[in-house]
Amino acid sequence: MTKIPFNTPYITGKETEFIKDAVYQEKKLSGNGKYTQLCQNFFEEKYGFNKCLLTTSCTDALEMAAILLNIQEGDEVIMPSYTFVSTANAFVLRGAKIIFVDTLSSHPNVSPEAIKNAITDKTKAIVVVHYAGVACDMDSIMNLANEKGIFVVEDAAQAVDSYYKDQALGGIGHLAAFSFHETKNISSGEGGMLVINDKQFEKRAETIWEKGTNRAAFFRGEVDKYGWVDVGSSFLPSEITAAFLYAQLIDLEDIQNKRRKLWEAYDHFFKTHPHLNQNQLETPLIPDYACNNAHMYYVVLESLEKRMETIQYLKNKGVHAVFHYLPLHASPFYAEKSGNPALPNTQRYSDCLLRLPFHLNVDFKELEKILN
Ligand SMILES: *Cc1c(COP(=O)(O)O)cnc(C)c1O
């Protein structure tokens, strides 16, 4: 029986060549060398991001964002409950109270209306998650935030090479975080990046990135010695990681074209299958203001029972399909703190959403047989 795993890493072929160059030619393996610069420049030039800093993960980039926003004990941070734990943990680590809000009924992205209703005098930040790489309704959210002087952080972990209208995701909020984890479109195994769009955070971001020292300014010759000037941590990835990532970035268009083809194949299958109707199964919605970066393919089934049955059926056929996100507001760690409010749309996606294998080694012919 053919096994169809949920994810396998895609290798362009140039990764080891660049790693060899870093090891034997550049002879620099710690962070912020040639390949780190190349990766950061790539994003700044291609998507017009103001300033980028590679990190060891998206989780780390979110933690940097929480430090930069000076999140303090008692501050409130609004975010969707339907997200990965890192979105929340970064702010919980600074003492914030997380206000988890519901998603839209038509899409797993956060509801701007729900955000609006959750804003109080204590709200310090709003964190949006572009689920499946599909843009949140950013005009509504930025307007709300700007009116009240609240910061917006984009968790763009899944949103590389995606847009809201004509603005690249990750370039809209005051800060944004990307992931290059193995399961994302562009990968270095583990990896991430902080984007600093609001210039007031540029200098401090570099200090926090360099363990709370002004080392980066020292290497540019701006100060004659470097020392401890702020809080910080070890957020830089090694040049080996950056070299791997750069090999993926220079092939980004090719990777994205291949992923879009697979996405279209799934979508065509579900939209044209003679025995399916919209009551049995919902296909992903891409709103007019968003674009599709082919991060994942999911369907929404009728019920939790149908979804679990389907996962089991596919598993028996060797196909690894998965669900996504147990709601954070109802999690063992946070249910008591959040008061466990009813978030019906979040609950529906948590119960009924099914993610299908999505990577560039999927044998779609075999999979189509099984799906039929
Ligand atoms: C993958 C993911 C993360 C975590 O990324 P890491 O690079 O593994 O830290 C955070 N938020 C969302 C929405 C993700 O999908």
Side-chain angles (χ1 to χ4, degrees):
M1 185 172 68
T2 328
K3 282 249 186 242
I4 303 181
F6 178 69
N7 185 65
T8 59
Y10 176 74
I11 306 299
T12 70
K14 300 190 193 78
E15 288 84 356
T16 43
E17 184 188 316
F18 290 171
I19 288 173
K20 270 190 192 155
D21 179 59
V23 173
Y24 297 110
Q25 303 303 315
E26 295 298 314
K27 299 190 189 345
K28 175 172 165 66
L29 298 183
S30 60
N32 202 8
K34 175 174 110 176
Y35 284 100
T36 299
Q37 296 292 334
L38 282 169
C39 292
Q40 293 173 175
N41 292 345
F42 177 92
F43 282 100
E44 289 166 11
E45 281 161 24
K46 184 165 172 76
Y47 300 110
F49 297 156
N50 172 55
K51 184 183 168 74
C52 298
L53 294 173
L54 287 194
T55 57
T56 54
S57 65
C58 178
T59 303
D60 262 4
L62 289 164
E63 285 177 24
M64 284 184 73
I67 297 171
L68 276 168
L69 296 183
N70 252 325
I71 300 293
Q72 308 283 324
E73 197 82 39
D75 288 343
E76 292 180 358
V77 177
I78 300 171
M79 66 180 66
S81 175
Y82 193 74
T83 184
F84 189 59
V85 290
S86 295
T87 320
N89 255 333
F91 296 87
V92 169
L93 280 168
R94 316 306 309 166
K97 175 162 201 259
I98 309 298
I99 310 297
F100 288 113
V101 298
D102 210 358
T103 66
L104 299 163
S105 60
S106 58
H107 194 279
N109 275 343
V110 68
S111 152
E113 191 62 29
I115 293 175
K116 189 176 172 194
N117 295 335
I119 292 175
T120 72
D121 292 345
K122 291 187 185 147
T123 307
K124 190 78 179 275
I126 296 166
V127 188
V128 299
V129 180
H130 305 297
Y131 186 77
V134 173
C136 293
D137 181 358
M138 290 310 288
D139 280 350
S140 307
I141 294 163
M142 293 311 292
N143 286 342
L144 270 176
N146 290 335
E147 237 171 66
K148 311 259 179 182
I150 298 168
F151 293 113
V152 174
V153 178
E154 295 176 73
D155 181 339
Q158 305 173 9
V160 74
D161 197 42
S162 197
Y163 291 81
Y164 171 79
K165 297 180 181 172
D166 56 357
Q167 281 176 286
L169 299 188
I172 304 169
H174 299 84
L175 299 165
F178 282 94
S179 174
F180 307 119
H181 184 264
E182 184 184 309
T183 50
K184 305 302 197 291
N185 294 32
I186 299 294
S187 163
S188 54
E190 303 277 355
M193 184 173 75
L194 178 73
V195 183
I196 303 109
N197 295 313
D198 184 336
K199 289 189 163 56
Q200 67 167 308
F201 297 118
E202 267 180 29
K203 197 154 173 270
R204 190 161 181 241
E206 209 174 56
T207 303
I208 292 166
W209 191 54
E210 282 276 20
K211 303 154 189 87
T213 73
N214 52 355
R215 189 166 179 269
F218 171 73
F219 280 116
R220 281 195 302 266
E222 293 165 17
V223 291
D224 55 13
K225 50 185 180 301
Y226 80 87
W228 189 16
V229 295
D230 202 336
V231 295
S233 192
S234 185
F235 289 119
L236 296 80
S238 105
E239 276 287 290
I240 298 174
T241 298
F244 191 104
L245 182 65
Y246 189 61
Q248 302 247 315
L249 288 179
I250 60 173
D251 271 0
L252 182 137
E253 273 180 38
D254 180 49
I255 292 173
Q256 288 297 83
N257 287 336
K258 288 175 177 158
R259 292 185 75 96
R260 287 198 179 96
K261 275 205 186 108
L262 177 62
W263 198 97
E264 293 299 339
Y266 266 125
D267 207 49
H268 181 76
F269 173 84
F270 286 112
K271 288 211 168 109
T272 59
H273 198 286
H275 299 312
L276 289 171
N277 66 47
Q278 277 295 306
N279 299 328
Q280 293 172 312
L281 173 145
E282 234 173 270
T283 53
L285 172 80
I286 316 280
D288 287 342
Y289 52 69
C291 91
N292 177 21
N293 77 340
H295 171 60
M296 70 164 87
Y297 198 84
Y298 67 82
V299 288
V300 186
L301 304 182
E302 292 169 75
S303 64
L304 177 62
E305 293 67 37
K306 274 267 165 9
R307 204 264 313 270
M308 296 323 272
E309 264 172 45
T310 309
I311 288 179
Q312 192 55 48
Y313 173 84
L314 290 171
K315 190 175 165 209
N316 294 341
K317 301 277 180 190
V319 179
H320 189 203
V322 301
F323 63 89
H324 221 181
Y325 300 148
L326 295 169
L328 297 183
H329 76 282
S331 61
F333 180 61
Y334 224 79
E336 207 174 306
K337 298 182 186 71
S338 72
N340 204 352
L343 302 180
N345 297 331
T346 301
Q347 196 60 51
R348 186 174 77 94
Y349 287 112
S350 178
D351 288 347
C352 304
L353 188 139
L354 178 74
R355 297 177 68 188
L356 293 158
F358 204 96
H359 52 88
L360 296 180
N361 308 308
V362 168
D363 177 351
F364 198 76
K365 281 272 163 292
E366 183 67 22
L367 184 60
E368 197 176 331
K369 243 189 286 169
I370 296 162
L371 292 171
N372 264 318

